[in-house]
Amino acid sequence: MRRITVFRIYLCALFLLSLPIVLAAVAAWQPPSQPKTTVIAHRGASGHAPEHTLSSYRLAARMNADYIEVDVRATKDGKLVALHDATLARTTNVETVYPHRSPWRVSDFSLRELKKLDAGSWFDPRFAGECVPTLDEVVRMLKAERVNVPLYVETKQPGIERAVARLLQKHGVLQRGSVMFQSFHPESLQALRPLIPRGVPLIQLVGEKEARSGRDELLQQIAVYADGIGLPLPAVTEEWVRAAHGRGLMVHVYTVNEPHDLARLCAMGVDGVFTDYPDRPGRIAACRRLPRH
Ligand code: G3P
Ligand code: CA
C-alpha cells in the first residue's frame, strides 16, 4: 500500500481518536466572562416571605442567592436575633401579646418573651407561627438543610461584635467565603476587624445624605478599614462606582428590586445588589455578565 495512503489513514485515525477530546474542550470552553453581580438576598427573600424568618432565608437559598443578608440585634438578655427594626411592632404581633410594653424595643425583651411572638402573619397568614430566629438558629438551619449559602451579617448596634464573631466561630463559618460583614456604624466594623480572619470582607454602609456629601473624602476614610461600600440606590452613579473601584473598594447597592434598576446597575459595574427578590437578577443578562470597563 502506497506510503501516502498509509499516512492518510494514520491522519484519519488520529483525527477520529482526538475528536471526542476536541468536542469536550469546545463544549467546556467559556468566553472570558466577567464576574457576575453578587446577589444578596435582602433580609432573605423578603419580597416573597416575611423578612428575617427561616422561611425567608430558605427561599433565598432556593432562589440561588449568593449571600443571605441577616440584620443582627441583641435582646435584653444578650441573645443575638435576626431583626431589622429596633422595635418589634412592624414585623410581629407584639402589640397584641404585650400591649403594655410600648415602644416594644427588642432590647427590652428577653429571648424567651420574643419566642412567644408571631413574626409571619403580618406579611401573609400563610406564614403564621414563624418566629424571630436567633442567629444561632439561622446557622443551624442552613447547616442542617445543607444549604451552603454564605451569610452577609449586618451589626445593627455597636457592641455585639465579639458575641457575633464567637457564635460564627463556634459553627465554623467565621471564614472567607462563608461570611461578610456590614454596618452603618464605622466603630462596629473597626471592632470586628481584629476578631475576624484575613480575607473576610467588611462593608461600610452609608445613607443617602452621607452619600451626597463629599464622595472622595468619604471613600478615603472608608478605605482605611473596610473592603467595600454599601450605597443606597438613589445615590449610585458611574462616578461613584469608578471612584470606589479606584480605591479598591467593592460597591454593593441597596435595595434594588425593579428589573430596570437591576439592569442599569449591573451594566454600571456594581459588584453586588441587595434585593428582596433574589430570583430576579438571574433573569437579567447584564447581571449575569458585566461589560469590561
Ligand atoms: O445592608 C443593606 C441594607 O440592608 C441596609 O439597609 O435598613 O435594609 O438594613 P437596611
Ligand atoms: Ca440590612
Side-chain angles (χ1 to χ4, degrees):
M1 197 187 286
R2 287 179 49 213
R3 201 179 282 177
I4 185 76
T5 318
V6 172
F7 182 63
R8 279 199 190 119
I9 294 168
Y10 174 70
L11 271 186
C12 285
L14 200 62
F15 172 71
L16 289 172
L17 282 171
S18 61
L19 199 56
I21 301 162
V22 172
L23 290 176
V26 168
W29 184 78
Q30 292 289 331
S33 67
Q34 310 299 326
K36 83 176 192 55
T37 311
T38 300
V39 176
I40 305 142
H42 185 238
R43 309 177 192 176
S46 54
H48 300 284
E51 62 181 65
H52 294 314
T53 58
L54 296 185
S55 288
S56 181
Y57 299 143
R58 208 177 267 123
L59 199 50
R62 234 176 266 144
M63 291 174 169
N64 298 321
D66 298 306
Y67 281 84
I68 296 173
E69 190 216 14
V70 184
D71 294 323
V72 181
R73 291 183 181 277
T75 62
K76 186 166 73 175
D77 48 348
K79 300 290 186 279
L80 300 170
V81 292
L83 204 78
H84 176 269
D85 301 1
T87 67
L88 294 152
R90 180 176 65 87
T91 57
T92 74
N93 61 345
V94 71
E95 296 183 43
T96 315
V97 179
Y98 303 108
H100 309 297
R101 302 270 297 267
S102 168
W104 302 290
R105 274 189 295 269
V106 181
S107 52
D108 293 339
F109 289 80
S110 67
L111 180 62
R112 197 181 147 85
E113 290 172 321
L114 233 59
K115 282 297 177 185
K116 295 199 173 93
L117 301 176
D118 171 355
S121 298
W122 70 277
F123 183 89
D124 188 305
R126 283 178 296 137
F127 295 98
E130 287 275 350
C131 69
V132 175
T134 61
L135 182 59
D136 189 62
E137 286 164 346
V138 174
V139 180
R140 283 179 192 285
M141 180 274 283
L142 295 174
K143 268 186 166 176
E145 298 182 13
R146 301 186 187 292
V147 171
N148 194 13
V149 180
L151 296 181
Y152 200 139
V153 173
E154 181 181 345
T155 51
K156 276 291 180 191
Q157 56 188 100
I160 60 173
E161 298 80 18
R162 198 167 285 285
V164 170
R166 199 181 303 127
L167 187 138
L168 296 174
Q169 177 92 42
K170 184 185 82 178
H171 286 290
V173 293
L174 187 63
Q175 60 197 15
R176 184 190 172 97
S178 298
V179 66
M180 202 184 287
F181 292 98
Q182 54 169 333
S183 188
F184 282 102
H185 310 280
E187 68 273 27
S188 187
L189 296 180
Q190 287 152 1
L192 270 168
R193 181 56 84 191
L195 303 174
I196 62 176
R198 286 172 75 83
V200 172
L202 297 179
I203 308 295
Q204 178 61 58
L205 297 170
V206 299
E208 209 175 321
K209 198 157 147 273
E210 225 182 337
R212 295 199 187 286
S213 61
R215 181 190 65 217
D216 294 336
E217 207 183 312
L218 185 60
L219 287 173
Q220 191 176 357
Q221 286 164 15
I222 291 172
V224 173
Y225 59 88
D227 307 288
I229 185 167
L231 283 172
L233 174 58
V236 184
T237 62
E238 299 241 8
E239 291 71 32
W240 254 110
V241 176
R242 211 172 292 129
H245 285 169
R247 288 181 183 279
L249 291 169
M250 291 183 271
V251 177
H252 291 169
V253 181
Y254 68 93
T255 305
V256 193
N257 291 333
E258 298 312 317
H260 66 266
D261 284 327
L262 285 164
R264 181 170 59 85
L265 290 181
C266 294
M268 204 187 273
V270 305
D271 304 284
V273 288
F274 291 88
T275 180
D276 301 337
Y277 302 91
D279 52 329
R280 287 184 180 171
R283 293 200 284 267
I284 297 168
C287 296
R288 286 196 296 271
R289 299 170 68 79
L290 282 177
R292 190 175 286 288
H293 280 295

